[in-house]
Amino acid sequence: QVQLVESGGGLVQAGGSLRLSCAASGTIFSINAMGWYRQAPGKQRELVAHITSGGNTYYLADVKGRFTISRNNVVNTVYLQMNSLKPEDTAAYYCNAQITRSRFGTENNYWGQGTQVTVSS
């Protein structure tokens, strides 16, 4: 089995910073793209940032210049550094990874359990 375990959420004042981490563990052959999504109450889940295995990145327009996604392929971990946080960044943040579990296996999508980020004004 594969698990994605997130950490780093919490309560912070507007203008503050948080760093989220998501570690993938279990039977893993390779990890393709990894990303962070968020979902605020009453809203749809949205892609915040995404990083390919080669290091190419994508950011939601609202977070560009404030958030930075990175990954460490040695420890199968993806990070999201969030600076200049705003109240509208408040949401549950979910890690996502596209993982192949064996050499001839298929790639599947995996999700973490979510970590809450709350930004007070």
Side-chain angles (χ1 to χ4, degrees), residues 38-87:
R38 68 186 180 187
Q39 187 167 19
K43 294 189 177 181
Q44 286 192 328
R45 189 174 294 192
E46 63 180 355
L47 176 61
V48 175
H50 162 103
I51 183 167
T52 68
S53 56
N56 293 317
T57 58
Y58 160 84
Y59 294 95
L60 181 68
D62 284 352
V63 308
K64 202 172 290 187
R66 299 188 297 121
F67 291 9
T68 302
I69 190 170
S70 61
R71 64 191 282 173
N72 183 329
N73 293 328
V74 174
V75 293
N76 292 335
T77 299
V78 63
Y79 308 95
L80 185 68
Q81 178 66 43
M82 305 185 294
N83 298 329
S84 302
L85 281 160
K86 304 175 182 180

Side-chain angles (χ1 to χ4, degrees), residues 17 22 38 40 69 79 81 88 90 93-94 107-110 114 118-119:
S17 297
C22 171
R38 68 186 180 187
I69 190 170
Y79 308 95
Q81 178 66 43
E88 50 264 44
T90 295
Y93 283 70
Y94 297 89
E107 186 177 276
N108 289 295
N109 223 16
Y110 292 87
T118 302
V119 184

Side-chain angles (χ1 to χ4, degrees), residues 16-34:
S17 297
L18 284 173
R19 189 190 195 212
L20 305 183
S21 299
C22 171
S25 63
T27 305
I28 296 171
F29 175 74
S30 66
I31 302 179
N32 194 355
M34 303 183 84

